[in-house]
Amino acid sequence: MSELGKPTIAVDGLHVEYRSFASGKAASDRRALLKRQRGLRVVHALKGVSFVAHEGESIGVIGHNGSGKSTLMRTLAGLQAPSRGAVYAASRPALLGVNAALLGDLSGDKNVTLGALALGHAPSEVEGIRDEIVEFSGLGDFMDLPMKTYSSGMQARLRFSIAISRDHRILLVDEALAVGDKEFRAKSEQRIRELRDQAGTVFLVSHSMKSIRDTCTRVLWIDHGNLVMDGPTKPVVRAYLRSK
Amino acid sequence: MTNIDYGAVARDAGLPRVGARPTLPAYLRELWRRRHFATTMARFRVEASTAENRLGLAWVVLDPLLQAGVYGLIFGVIMPGSSRPQPFVPFLVTGFFIFTYFSKSFSQGAKSITGNLALVRSLAFPRMLLPLSAVLRNLYELVPMLAVLAAILIGFRQYPTWSWLLMIPIVILMTMFNVGVALVAARLTVHLRDIGQLIPVITRILFYMSGIFYSLELVLAPPKHPAWMLALAQLNPVHDFIELSRGALQEAHGVPGRLWIIAGVAAVSMLGFGIVFFWRAEERYGRE
């Protein structure tokens, strides 16, 4: 792998555990207020994942539901703390996920302002990039409605548009394109390729093998929190499809 | 991909760890750089909270005014007593408005992280902006409340004097105190959601202890009670902020100078403690 650029992300033996309240038979612990939470269950979502990503790579992440893909993305972005191991990155990765509206009771327009400010844009820049964001999202007529009234596709479009308003060196796309329509998807995939060509690193989580084949040069296959396979797109996707 | 030392790869390439808590000065610099997020969010929240009501922003003032009215009716008309100084209405309204600034900063600050998880989980920014924005929102709401208070004072022939300007340092000190309280409450609520259930109780206790519809100074007057009891009651900074405000706004209302010292020390120490306490858990917000 000598023709690759400099490393941008190194992931070293990453473990992530979730503590969550469970109910039912499996969780009928004895109640104790201070010592242990009742029904606490530990879910081991990532079990020692390691890899290095380089400049100009776009990496697909595939696996079944619940295999730990989204957890990996959240940890890469620094939004979820690892219980063991560490993530090192050249700059803070930006995550585009499918979570709910930013602030549902505020209008799309205000979400754009707040999102841009939270991303670190100066207030004087916000007015300038607002048009860009609205234009890219294609939601011009809906900007004065509360974001909670948007359909999930519309919410995803607006979030994606806000997030890519800033140039990121490392971009994590967690199924954020799955809910968009065909046109928006093509536009976003185009933007992802541009980012990659500007020596960025892009991670794409998707269940669409077509998207993965079209945009990715390398694929990580994760199963039950373990990295099963890491390599060029074609053989990994083929092995993944055969495993089903 | 067998025995690669990934930590060494990262060190060689000079890659810093993601999500590592920055040093306190770096953190505060970043906070300052993104301060517009907190101020803008506070402003939007004020607008959004009342957008669905016919009277809109008027509710910011109407709500505490109506509540003060209820207490005024009960304690001023139905059960008047010697512990309530005259004129009672400005005394009560001052106490109620200043207390509202504290109690809402406290309760909204506590919910500022747990109530904005979608935001915390999708964007990376210094989390301290959220409790800060909660307090700012209430500071914005305090401004029209103070305007209404001025109108009420004038209605009771308490005309503006230069000492009204003392409200500026009082509100600054109180804001520092409220930010400190909000930061501590926000982190504790993340660790233990049960705190959210306790906050109304704590607020209620403070409400009765802070001398809002009665005068602590009259109730605990020296001949009937030993002097240390009043001194102890005056260690409550919320009470001191209220008393200082009354002293600044009503000419006849005398306030001992040591309340300034207690209020100042409480503001500085609460803010300092709150910042360090909140920053130390920065990596943990948004988990679970």
Side-chain angles (χ1 to χ4, degrees):
Chain A
M1 296 208 268
S2 53
E3 77 281 7
L4 286 170
K6 288 197 294 260
T8 47
I9 287 199
V11 177
D12 181 15
L14 197 63
H15 287 259
V16 173
E17 287 167 355
Y18 290 111
R19 272 154 231 289
S20 192
F21 301 102
S23 54
K25 226 187 228 167
S28 56
D29 266 18
R30 240 177 301 136
R31 283 185 175 205
L33 186 59
L34 292 174
K35 246 175 55 200
R36 258 250 171 270
Q37 298 279 4
R38 65 190 126 107
L40 195 69
R41 219 179 113 182
V42 178
V43 179
H44 208 148
L46 286 180
K47 305 164 182 164
V49 173
S50 301
F51 61 88
V52 177
H54 304 82
E55 284 177 351
E57 267 189 316
S58 60
I59 302 177
V61 181
I62 56 178
H64 303 287
N65 288 132
S67 57
K69 305 185 297 292
S70 294
T71 303
L72 177 63
M73 291 302 111
R74 291 235 305 277
T75 317
L76 290 184
L79 300 171
Q80 166 78 44
S83 40
R84 249 181 302 154
V87 177
Y88 304 89
S91 68
R92 183 141 195 177
L95 173 64
L96 298 176
V98 279
N99 34 23
L102 297 176
L103 293 161
D105 46 351
L106 298 184
S107 68
D109 204 40
K110 288 178 173 175
N111 269 288
V112 169
T113 308
L114 283 178
L117 288 172
L119 281 173
H121 286 291
S124 51
E125 296 167 13
V126 172
E127 284 314 309
I129 58 171
R130 180 197 306 283
D131 296 339
E132 231 172 272
I133 293 174
V134 175
E135 163 86 41
F136 192 90
S137 71
L139 295 172
D141 298 341
F142 303 97
M143 292 313 285
D144 51 351
L145 291 177
M147 205 164 160
K148 65 184 169 197
T149 63
Y150 287 20
S151 75
S152 54
M154 287 158 72
Q155 293 188 3
R157 285 166 77 133
L158 187 58
R159 264 199 319 274
F160 186 84
S161 311
I162 293 172
I164 52 143
S165 70
R166 202 172 175 83
D167 282 330
H168 302 288
R169 285 193 59 197
I170 306 169
L171 185 66
L172 316 171
V173 183
D174 186 358
E175 297 187 64
L177 310 180
V179 276
D181 54 30
K182 206 172 114 199
E183 185 198 336
F184 186 73
R185 209 154 167 178
K187 203 154 71 168
S188 322
E189 286 179 357
Q190 179 55 34
R191 188 83 173 90
I192 289 174
R193 279 191 288 268
E194 278 168 33
L195 274 173
R196 187 188 61 197
D197 295 342
Q198 293 159 15
T201 305
V202 181
F203 285 79
L204 179 67
V205 175
S206 182
H207 290 287
S208 152
M209 291 305 133
K210 186 179 177 303
S211 283
I212 298 271
R213 283 204 192 96
D214 285 354
T215 35
C216 301
T217 53
R218 175 182 167 191
V219 171
L220 306 177
W221 171 15
I222 297 180
D223 190 48
H224 292 99
N226 294 307
L227 185 56
V228 182
M229 220 174 151
D230 172 4
T233 306
K234 248 185 173 173
V236 181
V237 169
R238 205 183 304 134
Y240 173 66
L241 290 176
R242 210 177 297 141
S243 78
K244 283 191 190 170
Chain B
M1 45 183 272
T2 41
N3 274 322
I4 305 175
D5 183 353
Y6 292 94
V9 171
R11 272 192 301 280
D12 291 345
L15 304 179
R17 191 161 75 78
V18 171
R21 174 162 52 101
T23 61
L24 190 52
Y27 186 75
L28 293 178
R29 265 200 306 279
E30 187 60 28
L31 192 70
W32 178 251
R33 229 167 54 75
R34 309 219 181 166
R35 64 192 182 278
H36 299 287
F37 172 75
T39 53
T40 310
M41 179 157 160
R43 193 157 47 85
F44 287 171
R45 283 282 190 215
V46 174
E47 292 168 16
S49 66
T50 50
E52 288 176 3
N53 297 322
R54 285 284 172 86
L55 290 175
L57 283 176
W59 279 110
V60 167
V61 176
L62 270 178
D63 176 58
L65 207 56
L66 285 174
Q67 291 200 48
V70 171
Y71 283 93
L73 185 68
I74 294 171
F75 296 107
V77 180
I78 300 177
M79 313 167 39
S82 59
S83 64
R84 303 191 234 299
Q86 297 300 326
F88 185 53
V89 172
F91 176 88
L92 173 75
V93 174
T94 310
F96 211 92
F97 280 11
I98 300 291
F99 186 80
T100 301
Y101 179 34
F102 166 77
S103 64
K104 288 179 91 179
S105 298
F106 181 37
S107 62
Q108 290 172 8
K111 280 184 291 196
S112 59
I113 301 287
T114 50
N116 287 312
L117 274 184
L119 192 63
V120 169
R121 284 181 181 164
S122 48
L123 294 176
F125 57 89
R127 306 314 187 200
M128 204 180 275
L129 286 170
L130 291 174
L132 207 57
S133 144
V135 176
L136 275 175
R137 169 190 171 177
N138 287 296
L139 179 63
Y140 293 163
E141 294 189 353
L142 182 67
V143 174
M145 278 156 71
L146 289 181
V148 168
L149 179 59
I152 291 174
L153 283 164
I154 293 168
F156 280 81
R157 302 219 182 93
Q158 308 273 333
Y159 297 109
T161 61
W162 286 111
S163 73
W164 280 29
L165 288 179
L166 283 176
M167 282 312 289
I168 294 169
I170 293 170
V171 169
I172 290 174
L173 284 180
M174 195 172 175
T175 303
M176 291 165 65
F177 181 76
N178 286 354
V179 169
V181 170
L183 290 174
V184 172
R187 175 172 168 187
L188 288 178
T189 310
V190 170
H191 292 324
L192 198 61
R193 296 291 166 100
D194 307 39
I195 304 278
Q197 307 293 326
L198 283 177
I199 283 171
V201 180
I202 300 171
T203 308
R204 178 124 302 208
I205 294 171
L206 274 170
F207 178 79
Y208 288 110
M209 280 177 30
S210 301
I212 289 159
F213 54 86
Y214 65 96
S215 166
L216 263 180
E217 280 70 13
L218 288 180
V219 170
L220 297 174
K224 253 198 329 203
H225 298 274
W228 61 263
M229 278 182 77
L230 180 59
L232 190 71
Q234 284 177 337
L235 282 180
N236 167 11
V238 181
H239 164 75
D240 298 347
F241 290 123
I242 293 173
E243 263 313 280
L244 288 171
S245 305
R246 285 171 180 153
L249 296 175
Q250 289 171 263
E251 252 180 311
H253 199 92
V255 173
R258 68 169 184 282
L259 294 197
W260 277 103
I261 299 170
I262 300 171
V265 170
V268 172
S269 50
M270 200 64 218
L271 180 66
F273 176 73
I275 288 175
V276 174
F277 184 71
F278 187 89
W279 160 76
R280 289 177 69 95
E282 175 75 9
E283 289 179 36
R284 303 177 54 179
Y285 303 125
R287 288 177 71 175
E288 281 147 285

